[in-house]
Amino acid sequence: MSVTRRMGRNDREKSADRREAAGSTGDRRALRTRTALHRALIGLIVERDYDEISIADITEAADVGRSTFYAHFTDKDDLLRRGLGHLRGHLLEARDSAGGGEGAASRTLWFSRFMTEHLKEQHQLYRALMRGRAGPIIIDKIKELLSELVRTELAARENGSGAQAAPPEIAVRFVVGAYMSVVTWWLDRGARETPEEIDQAFRELALGGLGTLLRS
Amino acid sequence: MSVTRRMGRNDREKSADRREAAGSTGDRRALRTRTALHRALIGLIVERDYDEISIADITEAADVGRSTFYAHFTDKDDLLRRGLGHLRGHLLEARDSAGGGEGAASRTLWFSRFMTEHLKEQHQLYRALMRGRAGPIIIDKIKELLSELVRTELAARENGSGAQAAPPEIAVRFVVGAYMSVVTWWLDRGARETPEEIDQAFRELALGGLGTLLRS
Amino acid sequence: MSVTRRMGRNDREKSADRREAAGSTGDRRALRTRTALHRALIGLIVERDYDEISIADITEAADVGRSTFYAHFTDKDDLLRRGLGHLRGHLLEARDSAGGGEGAASRTLWFSRFMTEHLKEQHQLYRALMRGRAGPIIIDKIKELLSELVRTELAARENGSGAQAAPPEIAVRFVVGAYMSVVTWWLDRGARETPEEIDQAFRELALGGLGTLLRS
Amino acid sequence: MSVTRRMGRNDREKSADRREAAGSTGDRRALRTRTALHRALIGLIVERDYDEISIADITEAADVGRSTFYAHFTDKDDLLRRGLGHLRGHLLEARDSAGGGEGAASRTLWFSRFMTEHLKEQHQLYRALMRGRAGPIIIDKIKELLSELVRTELAARENGSGAQAAPPEIAVRFVVGAYMSVVTWWLDRGARETPEEIDQAFRELALGGLGTLLRS
DNA sequence: TCCTAAGCGAGACGGTACGTCTTGTCTTCCA
DNA sequence: TGGAAGACAAGACGTACCGTCTCGCTTAGGA
């Protein structure tokens, strides 16, 4: 339909390559520019909805020429997603700094504890990020990261008890989906409960199921 | 300079009213037009991504003037969401027609069974709908419908067994989030498993938790 | 509902400024674009009525994006009027190149001669320009230019002969209105008379009045 | 270009005929409707510019259905022009009621006197009418009416004095153009002078020419 | 030290979608 | 049967944004 929008697959690849190359060589200046753009974006997302933000808004906030934007990123989504690369670092850091007392990291579904606390600390930020059209992108990213943790954990803990009804990936999906559903609800309502309450409720349901809640 | 007069706040309100009124009164012609637009939209969503579809595309597919679109809907999202009103009907119908054998509807988390089967039957359609930017809107709608069912069921089955750790809404969020997470994964991969397998795995995890899967 | 944000009064001012500034600074490219648009417009006016010409028609003919149009002009009228800036140049040039023989420019109402000849030469063009809704705009512009000439001339020639019944501006208006009325009639009928005939008839009436034509 | 706008000549004729027929049969109701529309239009013209008035505005002001408009007139211009039919009546009436003292109607260019007075009386109305895009239409109509008077008068008064430089139509055009030019200027500035002053200045220039104003 | 290449700001431009407005037609329903 | 009501197709309008491009400026890093 749109001529502008729809580059052939190949053309897009090529320019992505160029951009990627620029990304890896990484002059000091280029790096500064990219960082400024990332910062500008999250700054703006906090105060208004993701898709009410134009690229011009971002470049203006970053004090950068609009054409410069296109020298580094293909897209607003591209900018967002690449900025999310740091997320993994933040999360692992949160995990490590959250020195759990007794047994800590050995607890099942350990991620729930430090993640919930992390979300609480930054809840203004995360609430903004998850609002609007940016939400799905960010939630997907977080899901991806958590899935990795859960997958590893489940693989490690798997008991050899024989007949395993479901493929493990279902359990991973189940757990992560349930967790995100609970915490987005929690954040949306203003994070009224403490992280501990959320963590505990989640873990109870995840480990013990609904069974105990129900009659007969 | 410009002859065009922008509408004041009040005028704008009024025409929104008219739109709404038109929506409810529903002349024969108007209804036909709206239906054509809904159909056109889902037709297009199947074949290409939601936000690569312009309003002109929709009206052209529906064989309707572009301005007519704006006489009925404010937005592409509006069109989508209002079209989703029918969803509830479809789902309830699916529930009722899925006459379960023994005890059927009395089974816990009964929704999982007929919903999964319904998704399987229409999986081409649902996969398309959940892809792209339309996904969140549709998933939210489905979550909303399922939450209603689950909330009712949990309220009915709640055992009086005393200390209830979490507010019931958490359990609702948990279950529905877990379910949608599992089935979107399933559909995305092409719905390789049978609905029964998915249903069983989900119900097992939901009712019994991960506990049994794990060592110690 | 609508994401689009209408500009406030101030922003609007600013972009008008930018337009104006662009108009005066005149990059090479911008100038080329503007010229192309002017040319396209008069090209189209010749072949069809002014207000059956859409802006899209103009930009297409000028091989220019429609939005580019709005970067330079606010309006179709704006384009036309600003294009008419050149008119003054053309007219003065016509005046100078029309080297009148004896005494030439010292003749009273000298403008009538070279103007009429100029109209005759370009009569196809002027006839088209004066037709339809563009007419008044163009005629007003020409009147303005001629008024200037006449005003100067009358001021210079004014005899001090005492009691002057009418403000001189009435005389200016009278002369210019009469002239334009005569020549538009002449052009509309296909410019059948020679410019000399028209010039002479006009000058006779203007200088001597109807008196001599009439009985008693 | 536009399919809607550009009916073939024949189609337009046909529907004009139908409309015309309706016009001549002239039911009582139909006549009332037409009158209401005329009134509504001039009412609106007084308060805002002709082409900022939409047909919907007119029909609303006339308390008439929009489709009814098209049953009587093809166009906004059509409505205006046909409403101007009354103008002739008004003018002749103004002429007759202006019983001039001595010699009255036998004075040369008699129209100037009563017309100028008439304009003065209704100058708010005429100023509004002549503003904007409606101006040319109305001015043309008035010119047409005045031309008729002048043409008759000149034919009657023509002295047989032989060599007549210009075709009489030029004189008609000259006089009427000059007159309208003077009075539009006068009205535009707020009709500051008395009608007598304007009349006298005009008649002096028209009958005696500029000659006497100028040196040598 | 120069100078040459890259990063960059500025902004013109083509393209396209948007949401609004108006026009003229047509159909239905009412008095 | 004439008119009111209003749905509709068509399409222009002015705005916003996008992605591309070209032009110079500046600012290193290498000759």
Side-chain angles (χ1 to χ4, degrees):
Chain A
M1 161 198 31
S2 154
V3 169
T4 327
R5 287 298 233 323
R6 311 287 216 80
M7 316 173 63
R9 186 73 192 133
N10 289 341
D11 298 345
R12 188 173 277 279
E13 287 302 325
K14 255 185 291 176
S15 54
D17 286 353
R18 183 165 54 74
R19 250 180 290 259
E20 203 50 57
S24 44
T25 50
D27 284 357
R28 271 183 295 292
R29 258 162 93 205
L31 184 61
R32 275 234 326 279
T33 300
R34 271 194 295 273
T35 314
L37 287 167
H38 284 135
R39 270 201 240 286
L41 177 58
I42 62 158
L44 289 169
I45 279 186
V46 170
E47 61 191 39
R48 85 167 164 277
D49 221 69
Y50 179 66
D51 60 355
E52 295 191 345
I53 300 170
S54 73
I55 290 182
D57 292 333
I58 300 170
T59 55
E60 192 181 345
D63 206 31
V64 147
R66 200 158 69 84
S67 41
T68 306
F69 176 92
Y70 291 102
H72 294 285
F73 304 99
T74 63
D75 234 338
K76 204 167 52 172
D77 284 15
D78 186 34
L79 172 61
L80 178 58
R81 253 186 274 267
R82 295 229 241 148
L84 259 32
H86 303 308
L87 201 56
R88 188 192 165 89
H90 286 313
L91 254 48
L92 296 184
E93 183 186 327
R95 181 188 60 182
D96 297 341
S97 77
E102 9 58 278
S106 68
R107 217 149 110 204
T108 44
L109 301 184
W110 163 237
F111 80 91
S112 153
R113 184 60 174 270
F114 71 79
M115 186 69 200
T116 312
E117 267 161 11
H118 178 60
L119 290 174
K120 174 73 181 187
E121 275 161 31
Q122 308 274 343
H123 87 269
Q124 298 282 17
L125 174 61
Y126 277 104
R127 220 173 137 188
L129 287 174
M130 289 174 178
R131 196 184 46 197
R133 299 246 206 235
I137 294 178
I138 288 159
I139 289 175
D140 275 8
K141 184 67 183 176
I142 298 180
K143 278 186 167 178
E144 188 188 314
L145 297 173
L146 296 182
S147 294
E148 208 184 306
L149 296 181
V150 173
R151 200 174 293 119
T152 311
E153 183 178 339
L154 290 192
R157 291 190 195 273
E158 193 190 346
N159 74 11
S161 77
Q164 185 178 317
E169 192 59 21
I170 290 189
V172 172
R173 275 280 171 165
F174 180 97
V175 169
V176 173
Y179 177 75
M180 290 306 291
S181 181
V182 169
V183 295
T184 51
W185 168 83
W186 175 56
L187 290 176
D188 264 4
R189 279 176 56 251
R192 301 213 272 252
E193 291 78 10
T194 65
E196 289 78 20
E197 286 165 355
I198 297 296
D199 171 47
Q200 188 183 342
F202 166 72
R203 180 180 274 102
E204 215 164 88
L205 288 166
L207 296 176
L210 286 174
T212 60
L213 283 179
L214 303 181
R215 225 181 275 129
S216 77
Chain B
M1 182 51 51
S2 157
V3 166
T4 334
R5 285 165 296 134
R6 300 270 168 239
M7 312 175 71
R9 183 75 192 131
N10 288 340
D11 298 347
R12 188 174 279 280
E13 287 302 324
K14 253 184 294 176
S15 58
D17 286 351
R18 187 165 55 74
R19 235 185 305 257
E20 205 50 56
S24 43
T25 52
D27 284 356
R28 274 182 294 293
R29 251 164 99 207
L31 184 60
R32 276 233 329 277
T33 301
R34 270 194 296 274
T35 313
L37 286 168
H38 284 137
R39 272 201 238 287
L41 177 59
I42 60 161
L44 289 169
I45 280 185
V46 170
E47 62 191 38
R48 83 167 164 280
D49 219 70
Y50 179 65
D51 60 356
E52 294 193 341
I53 300 170
S54 74
I55 289 179
D57 292 333
I58 300 170
T59 54
E60 192 181 345
D63 204 31
V64 146
R66 198 159 71 87
S67 44
T68 304
F69 176 93
Y70 290 103
H72 293 284
F73 304 99
T74 63
D75 235 336
K76 205 167 51 173
D77 284 16
D78 186 33
L79 171 61
L80 178 58
R81 253 186 272 267
R82 294 228 240 148
L84 258 34
H86 304 309
L87 201 57
R88 187 193 165 87
H90 286 314
L91 253 50
L92 296 185
E93 184 188 327
R95 181 188 60 180
D96 298 337
S97 76
E102 10 55 280
S106 69
R107 218 150 110 204
T108 45
L109 302 184
W110 163 234
F111 81 90
S112 154
R113 183 60 174 270
F114 70 80
M115 187 70 202
T116 313
E117 267 161 10
H118 179 60
L119 290 174
K120 174 73 180 186
E121 275 161 31
Q122 307 274 344
H123 87 269
Q124 297 283 16
L125 174 61
Y126 277 105
R127 217 175 139 187
L129 287 174
M130 289 173 178
R131 195 184 47 198
R133 299 249 205 231
I137 294 177
I138 289 158
I139 290 175
D140 274 7
K141 183 68 183 175
I142 298 179
K143 278 187 166 176
E144 187 188 314
L145 297 174
L146 296 182
S147 293
E148 205 185 310
L149 297 181
V150 173
R151 199 174 295 119
T152 311
E153 183 178 340
L154 290 192
R157 291 190 195 274
E158 191 189 346
N159 73 10
S161 77
Q164 186 176 315
E169 193 58 22
I170 291 191
V172 172
R173 276 280 172 164
F174 181 96
V175 169
V176 173
Y179 177 76
M180 290 307 291
S181 182
V182 169
V183 295
T184 51
W185 167 82
W186 174 56
L187 291 176
D188 264 3
R189 281 175 56 250
R192 303 212 272 252
E193 292 78 9
T194 66
E196 289 78 20
E197 286 164 357
I198 296 297
D199 170 48
Q200 189 184 342
F202 165 72
R203 180 180 276 103
E204 214 164 89
L205 287 166
L207 296 177
L210 287 173
T212 60
L213 284 178
L214 302 181
R215 225 183 273 128
S216 79
Chain C
M1 179 54 51
S2 159
V3 165
T4 333
R5 286 164 295 134
R6 300 267 168 242
M7 313 174 72
R9 183 75 192 130
N10 287 340
D11 298 347
R12 188 175 278 281
E13 287 301 324
K14 253 185 293 176
S15 59
D17 285 352
R18 185 165 57 72
R19 234 185 307 257
E20 205 49 55
S24 42
T25 52
D27 283 357
R28 272 181 296 291
R29 252 167 99 208
L31 185 60
R32 276 235 326 279
T33 300
R34 268 194 297 275
T35 313
L37 286 167
H38 283 136
R39 271 201 239 285
L41 176 60
I42 61 162
L44 289 168
I45 279 184
V46 170
E47 63 191 38
R48 83 167 164 281
D49 218 69
Y50 179 64
D51 60 355
E52 295 193 339
I53 300 172
S54 74
I55 290 179
D57 293 333
I58 300 170
T59 55
E60 192 181 345
D63 206 32
V64 147
R66 197 159 72 89
S67 46
T68 304
F69 176 91
Y70 290 103
H72 293 284
F73 305 99
T74 63
D75 235 334
K76 205 165 52 172
D77 284 15
D78 186 33
L79 171 61
L80 178 59
R81 253 185 274 265
R82 294 228 239 148
L84 257 34
H86 303 308
L87 201 56
R88 188 193 164 88
H90 287 314
L91 253 50
L92 295 184
E93 183 188 327
R95 180 188 60 182
D96 298 339
S97 76
E102 8 58 279
S106 69
R107 218 151 108 206
T108 43
L109 301 185
W110 163 235
F111 79 92
S112 154
R113 184 60 175 272
F114 70 79
M115 187 70 202
T116 313
E117 267 161 12
H118 178 60
L119 291 173
K120 174 75 180 185
E121 274 161 33
Q122 307 274 343
H123 86 271
Q124 298 282 17
L125 174 62
Y126 277 105
R127 217 175 138 187
L129 287 174
M130 289 174 178
R131 195 185 48 198
R133 299 250 205 230
I137 294 177
I138 288 159
I139 289 176
D140 274 8
K141 183 67 183 176
I142 298 179
K143 278 187 167 177
E144 187 189 316
L145 297 174
L146 296 183
S147 293
E148 206 185 306
L149 297 181
V150 173
R151 198 174 295 122
T152 312
E153 182 178 340
L154 290 191
R157 291 190 194 273
E158 191 189 347
N159 74 10
S161 78
Q164 187 177 315
E169 192 59 22
I170 290 191
V172 172
R173 276 279 170 164
F174 180 98
V175 169
V176 173
Y179 178 75
M180 290 306 292
S181 182
V182 169
V183 293
T184 51
W185 167 82
W186 175 55
L187 290 176
D188 265 4
R189 281 177 55 251
R192 303 212 270 254
E193 291 78 9
T194 65
E196 289 76 21
E197 286 164 356
I198 296 296
D199 170 49
Q200 188 183 343
F202 165 73
R203 178 180 277 103
E204 213 164 274
L205 287 165
L207 296 177
L210 287 173
T212 59
L213 284 178
L214 302 181
R215 225 182 276 128
S216 79
Chain D
M1 161 198 32
S2 153
V3 169
T4 327
R5 288 300 233 321
R6 310 290 216 82
M7 314 173 65
R9 186 74 192 131
N10 288 340
D11 299 346
R12 189 173 278 280
E13 286 303 324
K14 254 185 291 175
S15 54
D17 286 352
R18 183 164 53 74
R19 251 179 288 260
E20 204 50 57
S24 44
T25 51
D27 284 357
R28 272 181 297 292
R29 257 162 92 203
L31 184 61
R32 276 233 326 278
T33 301
R34 271 194 295 274
T35 313
L37 286 168
H38 284 135
R39 270 202 239 286
L41 177 58
I42 62 161
L44 289 169
I45 279 185
V46 170
E47 62 190 38
R48 85 168 164 278
D49 221 70
Y50 178 65
D51 60 356
E52 295 191 346
I53 299 170
S54 71
I55 291 181
D57 292 333
I58 300 169
T59 54
E60 192 180 347
D63 204 31
V64 146
R66 202 160 66 85
S67 40
T68 305
F69 175 92
Y70 291 103
H72 294 284
F73 304 99
T74 63
D75 233 338
K76 204 165 53 171
D77 284 16
D78 186 33
L79 171 62
L80 178 59
R81 251 186 276 266
R82 295 228 241 148
L84 258 34
H86 304 308
L87 201 57
R88 187 192 165 87
H90 287 313
L91 252 50
L92 296 185
E93 183 187 329
R95 180 188 60 180
D96 298 339
S97 76
E102 10 56 278
S106 69
R107 219 151 108 203
T108 43
L109 301 183
W110 163 237
F111 80 91
S112 154
R113 183 60 174 270
F114 70 80
M115 187 70 201
T116 313
E117 267 160 12
H118 179 60
L119 290 174
K120 174 73 179 186
E121 275 161 33
Q122 308 274 343
H123 86 269
Q124 297 283 16
L125 174 62
Y126 278 105
R127 220 175 137 188
L129 288 173
M130 289 175 178
R131 196 183 47 198
R133 300 248 206 233
I137 294 177
I138 288 158
I139 290 175
D140 275 8
K141 183 68 183 177
I142 298 178
K143 278 187 166 175
E144 188 188 315
L145 297 173
L146 296 182
S147 294
E148 207 183 308
L149 297 181
V150 173
R151 199 174 295 120
T152 311
E153 183 179 340
L154 290 192
R157 292 190 194 273
E158 191 188 346
N159 74 11
S161 75
Q164 184 177 317
E169 191 59 22
I170 290 190
V172 172
R173 275 279 170 167
F174 180 96
V175 168
V176 174
Y179 177 74
M180 290 307 290
S181 182
V182 168
V183 294
T184 52
W185 166 83
W186 174 57
L187 290 175
D188 266 4
R189 280 176 56 250
R192 300 212 273 253
E193 291 78 10
T194 64
E196 289 77 21
E197 285 165 357
I198 296 297
D199 170 49
Q200 186 183 346
F202 165 73
R203 178 179 277 103
E204 215 163 88
L205 288 165
L207 296 176
L210 286 174
T212 59
L213 285 178
L214 303 181
R215 225 182 274 129
S216 78

